[in-house]
């Protein structure tokens, strides 16, 4: 039977590469809770045979800050993959964390590429994947969480990503606010719809945008964004795009 042990020698514990990053604000909240009512004894952290923290890194950081004893359970059979299992059970592991885990721990090239695209665009995973795939279904997210996600051979994200980066650079140059209206998945979905519309020409779009950039204001839905973008493209344009939303 596993025994709960305690120590103030925090140097014993190691961080697992690929685990979610420590949230400083969460640590602060935990510190306040511990100061009010220290229940660490009944919520021990879990470590493997190498003393790598599988579950409880925020509790460890809080205990270290307060200088109080940390309680732990050491298992010789638990694996690194329980980092995901443990966090999922707590409903804390998010899509970002899965991408971070599989890109860092497993060195999965697809996930490393996703990390690179996230940094290049400043988008969150759902908005980025919507920009590339058009839609992010529950089934796609489930595959992503297994570490087996791959882009289809038909998907070349570079063209749409370059277009998005050109668009956001233009928006920043025009000092359009809030810039966050261009980072949600409703906007990226609409931008992809327009980009994939038959006959769409990015050069024409930016020429029209020079004439109608002030029309870019927050919209409620992907459909609203799409109609706005198409209207900008069609402004005084003889070769009008048909809003087929494909």
């Amino acid at each position: 039977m596993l025994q709960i042990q305690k120590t103030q020698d925090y140097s014993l514990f190691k961080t697992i590469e690929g685990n979610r990053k420590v949230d400083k604000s969460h640590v602060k909240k935990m510190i306040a809770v511990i100061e009010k009512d220290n229940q660490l004894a009944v919520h021990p952290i879990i470590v493997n045979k190498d003393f790598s923290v599988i579950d409880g890194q925020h509790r460890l950081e809080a205990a270290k800050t307060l200088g109080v004893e940390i309680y732990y359970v050491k298992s010789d059979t638990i694996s690194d993959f329980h980092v995901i299992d443990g966090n999922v059970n707590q409903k804390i592991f998010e899509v970002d964390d899965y991408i971070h885990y599989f890109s860092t721990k497993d060195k999965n090239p697809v996930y490393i590429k996703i990390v690179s695209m996230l940094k290049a665009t400043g988008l969150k995973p759902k908005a980025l994947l919507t920009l590339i795939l058009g839609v992010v279904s529950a089934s796609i997210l489930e595959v992503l969480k297994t570490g087996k996600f791959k882009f289809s051979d038909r998907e070349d994200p570079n063209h749409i990503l370059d277009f998005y980066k050109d668009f956001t650079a233009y928006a920043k140059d025009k000092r359009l606010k809030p810039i966050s209206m261009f980072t949600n998945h409703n906007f990226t979905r609409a931008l992809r719809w327009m980009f994939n519309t038959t006959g769409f020409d990015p050069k024409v779009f930016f020429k029209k945008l020079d004439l109608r950039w002030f029309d870019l204001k927050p919209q409620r839905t992907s459909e609203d964004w799409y109609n706005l973008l198409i209207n900008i493209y069609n402004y005084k344009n003889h070769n009008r795009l048909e809003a087929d939303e494909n």
Side-chain angles (χ1 to χ4, degrees):
M1 184 175 179
L2 297 175
Q3 297 292 320
I4 297 177
Q5 304 178 66
K6 63 181 179 179
T7 184
Q8 281 185 274
D9 184 2
Y10 314 114
S11 65
L12 287 173
F13 305 105
K14 304 172 186 176
T15 300
I16 288 183
E17 185 180 25
N19 199 354
R20 62 193 175 91
K21 298 177 182 178
V22 172
D23 184 337
K24 292 181 180 179
S25 64
H26 186 49
V27 173
K28 287 182 179 179
K29 291 178 182 177
M30 194 156 288
I31 288 171
V33 170
I34 295 171
E35 285 180 320
K36 184 177 181 180
D37 184 17
N38 188 343
Q39 294 291 319
L40 289 174
V42 295
H43 296 289
I45 67 173
I46 300 173
V47 301
N48 65 13
K49 60 183 179 180
D50 299 319
F51 279 87
S52 295
V53 179
I54 301 296
D55 177 52
Q57 59 181 356
H58 288 88
R59 274 167 282 161
L60 176 60
E61 287 300 315
K64 189 187 302 185
T65 300
L66 292 170
V68 299
E69 291 177 323
I70 186 68
Y71 292 76
Y72 66 96
V73 172
K74 182 171 174 284
S75 170
D76 293 336
T77 59
I78 200 166
S79 68
D80 289 1
F81 196 75
H82 285 88
V83 166
I84 287 184
D85 289 342
N87 284 302
V88 167
N89 289 335
Q90 297 178 50
K91 298 183 179 179
I92 296 175
F93 227 61
E94 303 290 349
V95 175
D96 310 58
D97 299 311
Y98 286 101
I99 294 171
H100 174 69
Y101 180 88
F102 290 116
S103 65
T104 305
K105 182 63 181 177
D106 286 5
K107 302 295 189 293
N108 185 306
V110 174
Y111 288 73
I112 291 173
K113 184 176 182 179
I114 292 174
V115 170
S116 177
M117 292 188 292
L118 290 171
K119 290 180 179 178
T121 60
L123 292 169
K124 292 292 185 180
K126 185 176 181 180
L128 174 73
L129 294 174
T130 301
L131 180 67
I132 297 171
L133 304 176
V135 64
V136 181
S137 64
S139 60
I140 290 175
L141 291 177
E142 287 305 311
V143 172
L144 188 143
K145 292 176 182 180
T146 66
K148 298 178 181 178
F149 175 82
K150 293 181 179 180
F151 291 108
S152 165
D153 292 337
R154 300 189 305 273
E155 294 291 347
D156 180 5
N158 292 321
H159 296 306
I160 185 66
L161 291 178
D162 287 343
F163 177 59
Y164 177 79
K165 286 186 284 187
D166 288 343
F167 178 88
T168 52
Y170 182 95
K172 290 175 182 177
D173 184 62
K174 290 294 185 181
R175 298 182 180 180
L176 296 176
K177 295 181 180 180
I179 200 69
S180 59
M181 65 178 160
F182 306 124
T183 62
N184 66 73
H185 72 278
N186 282 331
F187 175 78
T188 58
R189 187 182 186 194
L191 199 71
R192 179 196 160 87
W193 280 345
M194 180 178 68
F195 188 80
N196 281 12
T197 301
T198 303
F200 175 76
D201 185 338
K203 292 181 180 179
V204 172
F205 176 75
F206 282 113
K207 287 181 180 179
K208 299 304 177 182
L209 200 54
D210 270 337
L211 301 174
R212 306 297 304 180
W213 60 267
F214 47 83
D215 285 340
L216 292 171
K217 298 174 183 178
Q219 304 294 308
R220 294 182 60 188
T221 67
S222 297
E223 289 78 9
D224 292 339
W225 269 119
Y226 180 68
N227 290 329
L228 174 60
L229 294 172
I230 288 295
N231 286 335
I232 290 174
Y233 185 92
N234 285 336
Y235 182 70
K236 293 185 177 180
N237 188 4
H238 296 297
N239 299 316
R240 300 172 67 84
L241 290 181
E242 294 298 326
D244 54 14
E245 300 186 10
N246 290 323

